[in-house]
Amino acid sequence: MSSRRIHFTASDTEDAQSACKRLIHKYGQNRVLDADVVVALGGDGFMLESMHRFMASELPIYGMNKGTVGFLLNNYEEDNLQERLEAGKITRLHPLKMVAKDLAGKVTEALAINEVSLLRESRQTAKIRISIDDHVKVEELTCDGVLVATPAGSTAYNFSAHGPILPVNAGVLALTPISAFRPRRWRGAILPREAKIEFSILENRKRPVSAVADAVEVRDVSVVTVEEAPDISIHLLFDPEHNLEQRILDEQFIL
């Protein structure tokens, strides 16, 4: 079995940094350009940062939990890392592409691995028109906000907003309102991954709205479009007994 060339990266916590030093001493450190795999040490937030950081490299990312929850990470162990990397199973994710236009006409593009969310900025509720593939589906949603989640992100903010948990390979996206006031009975929708969603902000100066794609925020938006970026792939590497598909499935049965 050939050894994989590893690039280690770690969050800035003392525990993660200490673990990174021990692993580099044991397995060596390679530049990203020379590596076969990235090993990320931290929590889910750092794993999300690493996915954005190394997205363009197309290297598989193997996370080991040095944080709290560790939903996107494998268990931390220092021994047999090469064997674990060899036996790991790849999960491919596609991010969402957000294109947001603000009131000044500036256009901002950003990628989101978890979700794109629109959130009211003031004490007044937002009013948002929702179109799918150029067809108006919700004429006026009065709400605190609305979000579009990927399957990987469906267990995060989307689930907290009472959205559905989506299997990774289902080929769908979740469209979920956040504290909707009108229409009262609309609870969101499950959309095909090819759908293009457009949000038009009504009364946008009186009721300002911000758009957030993971860590990128655009304030005072007027129009936001969201669609999957099928040409961009993120490769996550999981131990066979801790694969992401099973974890998402299990989340639906946690009481």
Side-chain angles (χ1 to χ4, degrees), residues 98-143:
M98 177 187 79
V99 180
K101 183 179 180 181
D102 67 17
L103 294 178
K106 181 182 177 181
V107 176
T108 301
E109 295 188 12
L111 296 174
I113 296 165
N114 275 353
E115 75 276 321
V116 172
S117 54
L118 278 69
L119 305 165
R120 66 171 176 152
E121 296 178 9
S122 72
R123 60 181 177 81
Q124 291 187 298
T125 55
K127 290 189 175 182
I128 303 172
R129 178 179 296 128
I130 303 175
S131 300
I132 309 296
D133 297 330
D134 299 320
H135 297 284
V136 176
K137 295 298 185 182
V138 180
E139 187 66 41
E140 184 178 292
L141 175 66
T142 304
C143 58

Side-chain angles (χ1 to χ4, degrees), residues 31-65:
R31 299 186 309 158
V32 175
L33 291 176
D34 300 326
D36 301 311
V37 62
V38 171
V39 172
L41 309 170
D44 287 310
F46 182 72
M47 186 63 173
L48 194 64
E49 291 177 19
S50 299
M51 291 159 72
H52 278 281
R53 179 182 171 191
F54 298 106
M55 191 182 297
S57 73
E58 298 187 353
L59 289 172
I61 303 175
Y62 182 86
M64 286 203 287
N65 190 19

Side-chain angles (χ1 to χ4, degrees), residues 2-8 27-39 59-60 62 81-82 85-86 237:
S2 60
S3 296
R4 298 201 181 190
R5 296 170 295 181
I6 305 170
H7 176 80
F8 289 98
Y27 297 100
Q29 175 73 312
N30 290 271
R31 299 186 309 158
V32 175
L33 291 176
D34 300 326
D36 301 311
V37 62
V38 171
V39 172
L59 289 172
Y62 182 86
L81 179 56
Q82 287 288 355
L85 294 176
E86 185 68 24
L237 193 59

Side-chain angles (χ1 to χ4, degrees), residues 229-250:
D231 55 327
I232 301 175
S233 293
I234 302 160
H235 301 161
L236 300 186
L237 193 59
F238 289 96
D239 294 329
E241 67 274 17
H242 292 294
N243 68 81
L244 186 60
E245 292 91 338
Q246 188 62 48
R247 290 186 187 192
I248 291 178
L249 176 65
D250 291 344

